[in-house]
Amino acid sequence: MITRRVQYEVAGRLAGPALFRLEAWQQRVKKMRKGPRKSAIFGPPLECVSKLKELMGTHYLQGRYADGAVPVAWVTSGFPVEILRPLGFHAVYPENHAALCSVQRVVPELSDAVEKEGYARDLCSYARTDIGSVVTGKTPVGRLPKPDVLLCCTNICQTVLYWYRALAAHFNVPLVLMDTPFVYGEAKPHHRQYVRDQLEELVDVAERVGGKRVDPEELEEVVRVARDGTRLWGECLAASRAKPAPWTGIDGFFHIAPIVTLRGTRQCNAYYRMLLDELNDRVAKGIGGIVNERHRLLWDNLPIWFDVRGLSTLMAERGFNFVVTTYTNAWAEAGSRIDPADPIGSAVVAYTDIILNQDLNKRLDTMRRLSRDYSVDGAVLHSDRSCKPYSIGQIDLKQRLAKELDMRVLVLEADHGDPRAYAKEQGEGRLTAFMEGFS
Amino acid sequence: MSACVAIGIDVGSTTCKLVAVDAAGEILERRVEPTHPRIEQQAERLIAELRAKVGGAPPVGATGYGRKRVPQATRSLTEITCHAKGAFRLARRGGVLVDMGGQDTKVVRIGDAGEVRDFSMNDKCAAGTGRFLEVILGRLQVPMIEVGALAARAERPIAVSSTCTVFAESEVISLVAQGEPVEGIVKGLHHSLATRVASLAGALPDGAEIFMSGGVALNAAMVAALEAALRRKVRVLSEPQLVGALGAALSLS
Ligand code: SF4
């Protein structure tokens, strides 16, 4: 236990940072030798990227030594992770890990493994990827620590419940559910109470697994840090209201990782402060995420992780930038509502009233607001084969947006994780035709 | 003959179409051939033939799924944009265009200035395309040319519920085995396809004219089925197969 703990701390505090800093240094030397890489399409790469790699790389490296050293929880992306931080948990985000697998293009292989076990290909590719990684032991991050507990919140979808049940059976560990009723209009008081009761129970379970009690002051502090971090992330996104936007929506998809997985930690906030400074600096200097920003677009739904680069290049070549996405924005909204003065009560609201757990009118409101705030002249709604809750209603949303805001809207069929569910040639054809319509 | 100012080439999945147009956008010459796997050579040969015929070296605009493989093209645009351009030139007004080609079916809303307002397409699947008809009619041994008259003779359409090409093929085989009349099956097939296209088209704007292009527009049974499904008159554009190529040529002016 003690050696394990030492390994865990060394990986997180010394080895990880040293390793990734060395890598960043090597990259810098290479760049100096070769001269700076200048793209005719994209603006200069963000300096922060090396820091992001260090932060996330260290997180995964440290994770390899987490089990046996500290309590480990696997959690869904919309879980109130704040309550775990004062108890010293290491939180693993299977969704983030699955996104990483998709970027590394290993999803088909992992998915094949679970399809052989009888899971349908219609299941969300995050679930297939994660279960595939668990049963094969394969992961691009070396190793994921075994969970002591699984914590699942249904505020994003119901798939997570069945997925986590499968994990519970595999690891033979307890699964704790936080069920958040879907919100039509405003949540009713008994809905709030129902969620509150579960959250309080959850604190109990987490304390038992963590072997200590939550110190209210510590929790208050974590909640403050999480709220500030979320606000910082929101400010980073808001930098793109400037013309040209200082970065691309696609950059945003990658820089979202800390607010999802490290929310409530000081490193997370330090990172976003750095990113925000850099973005503000670019705005002041008029540096754009793409060189020739002619049209500004909104992106709805998760990214197409395995082809984000190809897609953004196709768009950027013609002067199109996704300056805002409902997905990255969701992470700037929910957490900003948590309140250190009332950690539990505010978490009930913050984690229930999120975009995927609210009716279509709320989504339309958000999209309208974002479209205006970021002065977009078009939108691409990614109809994600994997993520049904995010994709349902998009035809209506398209019609309403097109009519009310007089903008061009395209529904693009693809998948966030599995390249086999995306017809690249056709998809790019649609996007090209969509862009031709602007001139 | 007036002078040719541009050549348009539409390299589709089934056929390769070329037109040479004059300054007024009138078609002077046309070529239609099945698409070869070696698109570059085929395009080069056809463009050379057309240039020899009309004289000079008019510039080339390309469209269709093989458009990127036409090195002579000075401009290449998607089929959506080119079909809209071609249809607007022929109809001289905006409206809703239904293009049924070999590999895909598209519905394009064209604005009053000829601009693309919106479009939808069938996705990733041969259901609802010319290919679907080709496969099934091939199975029934009905030549394309007889389809219209045959379907018109049918007393009633026999429902073909499957829109998947593979499933519909076996469904049709079993209908034939059950002794259902071929005319009725053919009519039912067109109905099933037209319903699919109608759902792709969604709610049609009031008063908008419906145009049809693509090789399938030559099939009278399909036009009739589409009119029934949309409950609107459908106007088949002249030389419907050439609309995309015409748009590609016009894109250069
Ligand atoms: S279905 Fe959607 S919300 Fe649920 S896990 Fe998959 S991507 Fe996330």
Side-chain angles (χ1 to χ4, degrees):
Chain A
M1 170 83 185
I2 292 181
T3 21
R4 204 64 193 157
R5 182 66 196 246
V6 171
Q7 282 175 325
Y8 179 74
E9 297 299 341
V10 168
R13 291 172 202 267
L14 299 170
L19 201 76
F20 291 100
R21 275 178 209 170
L22 178 69
E23 200 186 297
W25 178 77
Q26 284 169 334
Q27 294 277 344
R28 268 203 301 279
V29 172
K30 217 162 112 191
K31 213 160 90 183
M32 263 156 57
R33 275 210 205 107
K34 282 193 175 168
R37 189 162 48 98
K38 225 177 152 146
S39 159
I41 308 167
F42 293 104
L46 287 162
E47 296 285 335
C48 274
V49 168
S50 60
K51 204 71 198 162
L52 177 70
K53 280 192 190 151
E54 179 187 323
L55 193 60
M56 294 314 297
T58 301
H59 170 68
Y60 276 107
L61 182 75
Q62 189 178 33
R64 293 192 204 186
Y65 307 100
D67 37 353
V70 290
V72 176
W74 284 25
V75 299
T76 57
S77 60
F79 184 84
V81 70
E82 290 78 8
I83 55 169
L84 302 181
R85 303 267 183 232
L87 298 169
F89 270 83
H90 182 92
V92 173
Y93 282 83
E95 291 155 69
N96 177 259
H97 173 251
L100 218 138
C101 290
S102 180
V103 174
Q104 304 279 340
R105 292 189 152 260
V106 294
V107 170
E109 181 191 347
L110 298 176
S111 183
D112 277 347
V114 289
E115 284 169 44
K116 273 201 199 99
E117 305 238 328
Y119 291 91
R121 202 185 269 193
D122 294 318
L123 200 61
C124 169
S125 54
Y126 273 173
R128 280 182 281 131
T129 305
D130 179 49
I131 302 173
S133 171
V134 165
V135 297
T136 59
K138 288 183 185 164
T139 158
V141 301
R143 177 177 181 274
L144 288 177
K146 288 205 177 63
D148 297 304
V149 65
L150 298 160
L151 304 172
C152 169
C153 182
T154 57
N155 55 0
I156 48 171
C157 66
Q158 293 296 313
T159 301
V160 286
L161 171 57
Y162 299 94
W163 163 10
Y164 274 56
R165 275 189 184 154
L167 293 179
H170 178 89
F171 288 115
N172 195 21
V173 294
L175 160 63
V176 186
L177 174 69
M178 185 167 132
D179 180 36
T180 47
F182 194 81
V183 181
Y184 296 96
E186 297 300 324
K188 309 271 180 307
H190 65 275
H191 290 157
R192 299 279 193 227
Q193 190 57 47
Y194 171 64
V195 176
R196 189 182 182 103
D197 291 348
Q198 294 177 79
L199 200 54
E200 280 166 357
E201 229 178 287
L202 220 142
V203 176
D204 265 5
V205 178
E207 285 177 337
R208 260 184 282 141
V209 177
K212 60 175 184 175
R213 314 267 317 161
V214 173
D215 174 347
E217 274 176 31
E218 265 185 70
L219 179 63
E220 191 184 313
E221 183 54 20
V222 166
V223 168
R224 179 172 297 115
V225 173
R227 183 202 56 194
D228 293 350
T230 310
R231 288 184 182 167
L232 278 165
W233 171 241
E235 286 177 55
C236 291
L237 296 178
S240 284
R241 294 181 189 193
K243 287 184 184 175
W247 57 336
T248 69
I250 309 298
D251 293 325
F253 288 141
F254 289 102
H255 289 265
I256 201 177
I259 198 62
V260 179
T261 57
L262 299 170
R263 193 168 64 254
T265 68
R266 297 197 175 284
Q267 307 98 289
C268 169
N269 294 14
Y271 177 69
Y272 286 129
R273 248 177 243 118
M274 206 171 133
L275 175 63
L276 183 60
D277 284 346
E278 189 177 353
L279 292 171
N280 284 338
D281 185 51
R282 283 167 79 116
V283 171
K285 292 183 179 144
I287 300 173
I290 69 171
V291 171
N292 172 24
E293 182 184 290
R294 290 194 308 125
H295 294 288
R296 300 162 61 84
L297 301 176
L298 172 142
W299 174 275
D300 183 46
N301 214 324
L302 279 82
I304 304 173
W305 286 115
F306 52 86
D307 199 28
V308 269
R309 286 278 161 231
L311 211 117
S312 67
T313 306
L314 175 86
M315 306 297 287
E317 273 170 352
R318 291 162 178 81
F320 287 76
N321 187 9
F322 291 106
V323 294
V324 59
T325 84
T326 56
Y327 175 68
T328 48
N329 177 69
W331 295 97
E333 290 201 343
S336 63
R337 287 190 216 114
I338 45 176
D339 178 4
D342 179 16
I344 300 292
S346 61
V348 169
V349 178
Y351 285 95
T352 306
D353 297 359
I354 71 162
I355 191 165
L356 283 182
N357 203 45
Q358 287 175 302
D359 62 28
L360 271 193
N361 289 327
K362 273 273 161 44
R363 259 175 75 191
L364 183 64
D365 284 347
T366 306
M367 287 163 98
R368 267 199 217 110
R369 176 165 47 79
L370 294 177
S371 299
R372 291 200 183 105
D373 289 354
Y374 288 79
S375 349
V376 307
D377 34 15
V380 174
L381 315 184
H382 167 205
S383 173
D384 181 350
R385 172 140 184 82
S386 270
C387 190
K388 283 85 178 172
Y390 214 145
S391 308
I392 200 158
Q394 279 175 323
I395 301 288
D396 291 322
L397 290 173
K398 169 187 165 166
Q399 278 160 2
R400 297 278 297 268
L401 282 177
K403 201 164 143 195
E404 291 172 23
L405 301 182
D406 190 28
M407 61 184 204
R408 309 185 72 84
V409 187
L410 176 79
V411 173
L412 179 72
E413 289 195 32
D415 193 272
H416 67 250
D418 192 343
R420 297 169 304 180
Y422 174 51
K424 188 173 160 71
E425 188 74 19
Q426 269 93 334
E428 292 187 346
R430 304 278 196 283
L431 282 166
T432 308
F434 173 69
M435 290 188 282
E436 284 171 1
F438 279 83
S439 42
Chain B
M1 189 165 90
S2 43
C4 168
V5 297
I7 287 176
I9 175 166
D10 176 0
V11 187
S13 62
T14 327
T15 49
C16 180
K17 285 92 39 178
L18 284 90
V19 297
V21 300
D22 66 11
E26 292 297 331
I27 300 179
L28 304 172
E29 282 293 329
R30 70 263 301 142
R31 289 279 182 286
V32 179
E33 261 188 19
T35 305
H36 292 181
R38 289 167 201 251
I39 291 171
E40 286 91 346
Q41 276 117 303
Q42 184 181 23
E44 191 182 346
R45 173 175 56 76
L46 287 169
I47 290 168
E49 270 178 40
L50 219 58
R51 278 181 173 161
K53 188 95 189 188
V54 295
V60 177
T63 188
Y65 96 101
R67 66 181 182 279
K68 291 180 201 142
R69 290 163 68 191
V70 182
Q72 294 83 352
T74 46
R75 189 160 193 209
S76 99
L77 289 171
T78 59
E79 302 96 290
I80 302 281
T81 306
C82 289
H83 271 89
K85 280 187 194 298
F88 188 71
R89 167 70 184 66
L90 295 169
R92 301 200 180 267
R93 66 176 66 189
V96 177
L97 174 73
V98 176
D99 172 72
M100 289 184 78
Q103 186 177 261
D104 56 30
T105 295
K106 2 181 194 306
V107 178
V108 187
R109 282 160 208 257
I110 305 169
D112 294 332
E115 79 283 10
V116 174
R117 294 195 64 84
D118 194 10
F119 63 90
S120 41
M121 291 169 91
N122 69 313
D123 254 302
K124 305 173 211 156
C125 174
T129 69
R131 186 84 195 120
F132 170 84
L133 274 181
E134 219 173 89
V135 169
I136 316 278
L137 293 174
R139 256 291 171 191
L140 292 169
Q141 297 180 344
V142 176
M144 261 300 177
I145 194 153
E146 289 170 20
V147 170
L150 195 74
R153 279 209 303 275
E155 275 173 30
R156 59 181 178 92
I158 311 281
V160 178
S161 50
S162 194
T163 42
C164 162
T165 313
V166 179
F167 291 159
E169 193 176 348
S170 41
E171 192 179 339
V172 162
I173 293 169
S174 70
L175 287 171
V176 174
Q178 285 161 28
E180 295 287 2
V182 171
E183 307 89 80
I185 300 177
V186 168
K187 190 165 183 171
L189 207 57
H190 285 80
H191 269 257
S192 132
L193 205 52
T195 320
R196 210 180 146 89
V197 176
S199 74
L200 198 64
L204 294 171
D206 287 336
E209 236 190 288
I210 319 287
F211 315 121
M212 194 173 172
S213 66
V216 182
L218 293 168
N219 169 350
M222 195 61 233
V223 180
L226 203 58
E227 287 188 329
L230 295 173
R231 296 205 191 89
R232 298 273 184 105
K233 184 102 197 81
V234 171
R235 172 171 162 198
V236 175
L237 297 172
S238 76
E239 301 189 84
Q241 256 186 307
L242 302 180
V243 176
L246 173 63
L250 295 175
S251 76
L252 298 171
S253 58

